[in-house]
Amino acid sequence: MDDIKQDDQNQRHAIEHGDPALSLKEVSVSFKGQRAPALKAVNLEVGRGDFVAVIGPSGAGKSSLLRVICGFLQPSFGKVLLGDCRQVSGRKDHARAVSMVFQNFNLIGSMDVLSNVLVGRLAHKKGLVRLFARFNHHDREVALCALAKVQMLDFVYRKVDLLSGGQKQRVAIARCLTQEAHVLLADEPVASLDPMNSAKVIELLKSLNRDYGITVIANMHQLELVEQHFHRVIGFRDGQLIFNLPLDSKVSTADLQRIYR
Ligand SMILES: Nc1ncnc2c1ncn2[C@@H]1O[C@H](COP(=O)(O)OP(=O)(O)OP(=O)(O)O)[C@@H](O)[C@H]1O
């Protein structure tokens, strides 16, 4: 237990003194037909290897934040930088560096677990090899290692439609691992899961962060899980970043009132 605490402290020290995994500079996102922007001039730096929760009421801009980091959305203003200076300018530029898991898993239900996980390797392919989704021995090895990490090796050839919600989310996480991304974004990863599976999925994300140094940013509605597991919490309201705090104890009532009014 003491070792784990020491590891945690070492990791926090590295984060505080290391390079950023990503930065947002004055990022705004506006949607056609919406009066207010989804994100308003957001400035944010996330440290390499950090484990961050994003909280805020519905419509606060949490998903828009992850989607603009992932490159699914382009900022209307400002820029997203990966590492120190590489600007995110399209899907291709960062398809390998950033991966995402979703509340509804985004898996292909009619395909087996291994085929779904191999999709993560497409980020490493070009041209016809990518078009025809041709995978080699190394791709399969990476995928099987990822499935071992999420404890789904016994289900390699099972159709995804036949898995439970918790198992599906573990497959989705294995797909991210197979992509070998440095940053894992999770959009409400436990919203569809019961409390036991929710805790398991958060523990799994935590172990990827601890064992592989993957930077994790997760949108969360479950404050208890956030306070129990995450190193940092970011609060959003009305598209604005309201606070960005290290999490040594509970989020104060005063801070919660600033976002959930
Ligand atoms: N594709 C879209 N087209 C138009 N407006 C959108 C779109 N996606 C999001 N919005 C708007 O942008 C704002 C922020 O939405 P976003 O989904 O980022 O919030 P959120 O904090 O993730 O909410 P929730 O917790 O309910 O998922 C909302 O007002 C929403 O209606």
Side-chain angles (χ1 to χ4, degrees):
M1 193 65 179
D2 280 353
D3 283 352
I4 292 174
K5 270 200 171 151
Q6 187 60 52
D7 280 355
D8 252 23
Q9 276 167 9
N10 292 344
Q11 194 167 350
R12 283 184 194 204
H13 180 85
I15 291 158
E16 278 157 23
H17 298 87
D19 300 331
L22 60 96
S23 321
L24 276 69
K25 312 268 187 204
E26 294 290 319
V27 168
S28 294
V29 168
S30 296
F31 290 105
K32 260 193 188 155
Q34 294 289 87
R35 261 184 298 157
L39 293 178
K40 294 178 196 162
V42 174
N43 285 299
L44 172 66
E45 199 165 274
V46 176
R48 229 176 258 274
D50 212 343
F51 194 61
V52 183
V54 184
I55 62 172
S58 195
K62 304 179 299 296
S63 296
S64 302
L65 176 76
L66 295 198
R67 286 161 68 204
V68 82
I69 293 173
C70 203
F72 293 160
L73 277 178
Q74 288 298 308
S76 325
F77 187 80
K79 56 190 175 183
V80 179
L81 303 171
L82 289 182
D84 278 339
C85 55
R86 195 151 57 93
Q87 184 168 352
V88 170
S89 58
R91 282 294 295 146
K92 220 169 97 191
D93 192 36
H94 61 292
R96 280 167 73 157
V98 183
S99 64
M100 190 141 161
V101 291
F102 303 84
Q103 174 183 349
N104 62 359
F105 322 119
N106 272 27
L107 298 168
I108 304 165
S110 57
M111 279 165 53
D112 66 30
V113 165
L114 182 60
S115 307
N116 270 278
V117 172
L118 279 167
V119 169
R121 295 306 293 168
L122 289 178
H124 296 256
K125 309 280 176 197
K126 285 186 189 149
L128 287 180
V129 180
R130 181 182 163 89
L131 188 66
F132 292 108
R134 300 295 292 269
F135 301 107
N136 57 29
H137 180 68
H138 175 67
D139 296 326
R140 277 168 221 283
E141 258 186 8
V142 175
L144 290 171
C145 281
L147 283 167
K149 177 70 183 170
V150 303
Q151 296 180 345
M152 286 296 289
L153 263 189
D154 290 345
F155 300 87
V156 167
Y157 297 112
R158 184 160 305 182
K159 232 168 85 171
V160 161
D161 271 342
L162 303 177
L163 300 177
S164 71
Q167 289 170 331
K168 283 179 186 165
Q169 197 56 296
R170 275 150 59 197
V171 172
I173 292 169
R175 184 179 55 192
C176 290
L177 276 181
T178 302
Q179 186 180 320
E180 297 179 319
H182 306 299
V183 178
L184 196 159
L185 307 172
D187 198 1
E188 299 190 30
V190 298
S192 314
L193 305 181
D194 61 51
M196 190 135 85
N197 275 303
S198 297
K200 273 190 190 164
V201 164
I202 297 297
E203 282 293 348
L204 177 58
L205 292 176
K206 210 168 155 183
S207 82
L208 305 186
N209 171 259
R210 190 182 54 231
D211 301 345
Y212 304 145
I214 295 175
T215 307
V216 175
I217 309 173
N219 288 347
M220 297 284 295
H221 280 296
Q222 303 79 356
L223 192 59
E224 211 173 290
L225 285 176
V226 170
E227 291 176 332
Q228 205 178 334
H229 297 285
F230 285 79
H231 298 165
R232 180 166 286 278
V233 61
I234 294 174
F236 266 81
R237 197 196 66 227
D238 298 336
Q240 285 176 298
L241 192 155
I242 306 294
F243 57 75
N244 179 357
L245 304 166
L247 248 181
D248 290 319
S249 56
K250 285 180 177 295
V251 186
S252 73
T253 310
D255 281 326
L256 290 176
Q257 280 170 348
R258 291 165 72 198
I259 54 172
Y260 298 109
R261 294 192 301 196

